Amino acid sequence: EKVAVTRLLAAARNAGFTHIRLQLEPIAAAFTYEQTLTRPETVLVADLGGGTSDFTIVHLAPNKAGKARREEDIIAHGGVYIGGDLFDSEIMWHKVTPYLGRGVLYQSYDKQIEVPNTLFRELRNWEKSFLLKSSKARRAMDNFYVFSGNDQRIDNVRTLVDNNYVYSLFKKIEKSKIALSSVSETSIHFSEQNIYIDEPFRINEFETIIGKHIKEIEIYITTLLQQAGYDASQIDSVFLTGGSSLALPVRNMLCKLFEESKLRQGDTFNSVAYGLSLNH
């Protein structure tokens, strides 16, 4: 984080800014919500994005909106490295990698052995996928293809990696995840060259696949409240922002912790930016 802050400040200075201040994203989002208030509230701001889920417990009031110094109003804040990217990664592993050779058996002397998971684990991180073309794990797939009897699924993963289709596949995964925010069933559809994937995807599967991560978020929120000396009943509103706040497993967990009537949905992608513009 220290490196990231240093780079961000340097970029701002290089762009010509002379007076630079930084703010935590959920606190910025809180300022957006504060504009809507008619009475003071104790609010849990939940900013659930692609890489992290960040939370702030804060006192808000209509007469404080726009004030620059708000340290005394911030009760607690923190977060976990769980977000939409991790959800996509889990979907990739559980729903898609079987189409790419995970679980395929190959002949080794007189034994049938399962293809190692090395390459499939690496495929969970699309941003590093360009490195896989020249990797040992990719080269091994050529042998596994032959010794599996030319299994089409092994050829699928070779085509995927060699043609840099991993990111495109993840966009299809993300699309199906987003669809499950409003429907109970969709499909993951991907077609390129010899690859054809059309996998049904249901909301109950999604809940199971990311269940352990949702539980981690729940435990973190509960711990944050306890450390601040609060319980869920003392939170007047839960202000949601960030793309992952739309995921039904996330919302169901928050409804369990708090009353559903306390949930407030902000501008999914712009609440933070708008809040920063207010806090001057």
Side-chain angles (χ1 to χ4, degrees), residues 144-160:
F144 296 140
Y145 178 64
V146 173
F147 292 112
S148 66
N150 298 348
D151 193 292
Q152 177 61 50
R153 291 167 290 180
I154 300 294
D155 201 30
N156 285 347
V157 77
R158 299 195 303 175
T159 300
L160 187 81

Side-chain angles (χ1 to χ4, degrees), residues 20-279:
I20 306 164
R21 289 185 292 120
L22 303 180
Q23 184 56 275
L24 295 168
E25 289 187 10
I27 295 173
F31 298 145
T32 296
Y33 178 60
E34 192 170 48
Q35 297 293 301
T36 70
L37 295 182
T38 58
R39 62 179 179 83
E41 288 189 5
T42 300
V43 180
L44 173 69
V45 181
D47 181 8
L48 301 119
T52 62
S53 294
D54 300 307
F55 305 96
T56 296
I57 305 171
V58 59
H59 290 310
L60 301 177
N63 64 325
K64 293 184 177 182
K67 292 185 178 180
R69 309 299 297 183
R70 300 295 299 275
E71 291 90 340
E72 71 279 2
D73 294 321
I74 299 167
I75 302 164
H77 66 84
V80 289
Y81 287 102
I82 299 173
D85 293 344
L86 182 56
F87 298 164
D88 294 345
S89 172
E90 294 287 15
I91 296 167
M92 176 67 160
W93 176 261
H94 290 278
K95 297 293 288 181
V96 179
T97 54
Y99 285 88
L100 305 174
R102 184 168 70 85
V104 167
L105 300 177
Y106 71 96
Q107 190 71 32
S108 177
Y109 298 103
D110 59 343
K111 295 180 180 179
Q112 289 277 308
I113 301 175
E114 192 172 296
V115 171
N117 284 332
T118 307
L119 185 64
F120 309 119
R121 285 196 295 267
E122 294 298 325
L123 285 174
R124 297 176 60 150
N125 302 301
W126 64 262
E127 68 277 7
K128 298 178 181 178
S129 62
F130 71 95
L131 298 170
L132 296 178
K133 278 199 232 183
S134 58
S135 68
K136 180 180 178 181
R138 164 61 190 90
R139 292 194 298 272
M141 285 296 162
D142 293 333
N143 292 326
F144 296 140
Y145 178 64
V146 173
F147 292 112
S148 66
N150 298 348
D151 193 292
Q152 177 61 50
R153 291 167 290 180
I154 300 294
D155 201 30
N156 285 347
V157 77
R158 299 195 303 175
T159 300
L160 187 81
V161 171
D162 293 351
N163 292 278
N164 293 318
Y165 289 144
V166 178
Y167 176 70
S168 298
L169 176 53
F170 263 91
K171 294 304 289 184
K172 297 295 185 180
I173 290 171
E174 183 185 40
K175 182 179 178 180
S176 70
K177 177 191 69 177
I178 292 170
L180 289 180
S181 296
S182 56
V183 299
S184 61
E185 183 175 353
T186 185
S187 64
I188 303 168
H189 182 79
F190 182 79
S191 180
E192 289 288 353
Q193 296 189 34
N194 55 281
I195 308 171
Y196 181 78
I197 297 171
D198 192 18
E199 172 69 3
F201 190 27
R202 301 173 181 85
I203 186 62
N204 62 321
E205 293 179 289
F206 185 34
E207 290 171 339
T208 300
I209 286 170
I210 67 170
K212 65 179 180 181
H213 302 303
I214 297 298
K215 188 62 180 179
E216 288 178 79
I217 295 174
E218 179 182 350
I219 291 171
Y220 184 83
I221 294 173
T222 302
T223 302
L224 187 69
L225 287 167
Q226 289 173 346
Q227 290 175 345
Y230 280 72
D231 60 46
S233 65
Q234 293 172 287
I235 300 298
D236 297 307
S237 298
V238 179
F239 182 65
L240 303 174
T241 188
S244 296
S245 68
L246 300 175
L248 286 180
V250 171
R251 298 184 72 88
N252 290 339
M253 176 270 294
L254 291 170
C255 287
K256 186 176 77 170
L257 282 179
F258 307 93
E259 298 173 20
E260 185 175 1
S261 61
K262 291 184 177 182
L263 269 56
R264 309 280 186 268
Q265 186 69 51
D267 185 320
T268 306
F269 300 106
N270 296 314
S271 291
V272 171
Y274 182 67
L276 287 172
S277 73
L278 296 170
N279 184 226

